[in-house]
Amino acid sequence: MEGKARVGFVSGCTPVIGLAGGVGSGKSAAAACLSRLGCVVIDSDARAKALLDTPALRDRLVRWWGDRVVRHDGCIDREVISDIVFSDADQRRRLEGLIHPMLEEAREATIREAIEAGAAGVVIDAPLLYEAGLDARCDAVIFVDAPREARLARVSRSRGWDEAELDRRESAQMPLEIKRERAHYVLTNTGPADELCEQARRVLGMIHEGMARRSPGRPAEG
């Protein structure tokens, strides 16, 4: 676990914490640890997938890309959507431009509710945290680190991806070394789940300690 003394606070007493990391690094596992510590977790990926099956968005996607994006049961075929957007950056930006404003509205509502309820934190678990500019909304960003071979094994087991698919997904994202450098804290996910959760507990404590030392508002970093 690593920490960097350059955290600013924009959210009062409840920190907004972003999660970053490579595909298969264990961001969801880290989010689950933080949830058990009293944080409210915003799973941006799950919310985006749910939006795709709303009638208005489904109809829009059919107008864009045809009936091939709809399965026989009437739901959006997410594998087809993934093939489209991960092979064409313009189409990916087109989809993001449609979905991101909707996600932002719901995210801000969740953050307000969590702050009012006095949650220990609000965690934004988003695959494109930096790429979408969501790090600017966060008081701190945690990078979940794991070796490539471990990440490949996880996505192969859970999603059926091979190495080429992992490379294709990651090529559409900011390089991992830049994400790691820009994060405030690093969790190393190479051991058992309780070890990851212990790191998360210590990092959350460090964030709260930092909030107690600083007045509201984002101070200069350094």
Side-chain angles (χ1 to χ4, degrees):
M1 184 190 79
E2 299 177 22
K4 306 170 187 177
R6 52 185 180 87
V7 184
F9 298 102
V10 298
S11 306
C13 296
T14 299
V16 177
I17 302 165
L19 287 181
V23 178
S25 62
K27 294 187 296 296
S28 295
C33 294
L34 290 165
S35 176
R36 289 194 286 274
L37 293 167
C39 293
V40 173
V41 175
I42 300 173
D43 186 336
S44 297
D45 195 34
R47 290 189 175 190
K49 289 176 180 177
L51 274 176
L52 291 179
D53 281 320
T54 58
L57 261 72
R58 186 174 59 242
D59 292 346
R60 177 74 68 90
L61 298 183
V62 169
R63 288 199 298 273
W64 285 356
W65 298 319
D67 291 336
R68 62 181 171 139
V69 302
V70 180
R71 301 192 315 238
H72 293 304
D73 62 2
C75 294
I76 286 293
D77 191 326
R78 297 187 180 91
E79 287 300 317
V80 172
I81 297 295
S82 293
D83 287 341
I84 292 171
V85 301
F86 282 104
S87 60
D88 188 325
D90 288 337
Q91 295 302 324
R92 185 173 69 252
R93 286 189 288 269
R94 188 185 194 189
L95 181 62
E96 290 169 355
L98 177 65
I99 290 179
H100 284 178
M102 300 178 185
L103 292 174
E104 181 180 6
E105 183 178 354
R107 181 174 59 249
E108 289 304 314
T110 300
I111 290 172
R112 287 194 300 271
E113 292 168 2
I115 291 173
E116 290 171 1
V122 183
V123 177
I124 301 178
D125 180 5
L128 302 176
L129 185 85
Y130 286 112
E131 293 86 345
L134 292 177
D135 58 309
R137 184 63 181 91
C138 298
D139 299 303
V141 175
I142 299 172
F143 182 86
V144 183
D145 201 8
R148 176 180 170 79
E149 57 271 21
R151 296 190 293 105
L152 178 58
R154 286 180 191 136
V155 297
S156 176
R157 183 171 58 250
S158 63
R159 310 180 199 183
W161 294 356
D162 59 12
E163 187 171 10
E165 182 63 15
L166 175 62
D167 289 342
R168 186 170 76 112
R169 301 284 180 140
E170 292 203 322
S171 67
Q173 299 184 15
M174 181 183 292
L176 292 182
E177 58 270 21
I178 297 178
K179 291 184 179 183
R180 194 181 196 280
E181 174 59 29
R182 289 178 60 176
H184 301 95
Y185 302 95
V186 177
L187 303 183
T188 303
N189 186 22
T190 56
D194 58 350
E195 184 176 294
L196 179 66
C197 285
E198 175 58 22
Q199 293 181 67
R201 185 192 65 77
R202 284 162 29 208
V203 164
L204 184 60
M206 292 167 67
I207 293 172
H208 284 160
E209 288 172 7
M211 294 184 75
R213 289 194 302 267
R214 302 185 187 203
S215 59
R218 182 177 291 278
E221 294 185 349

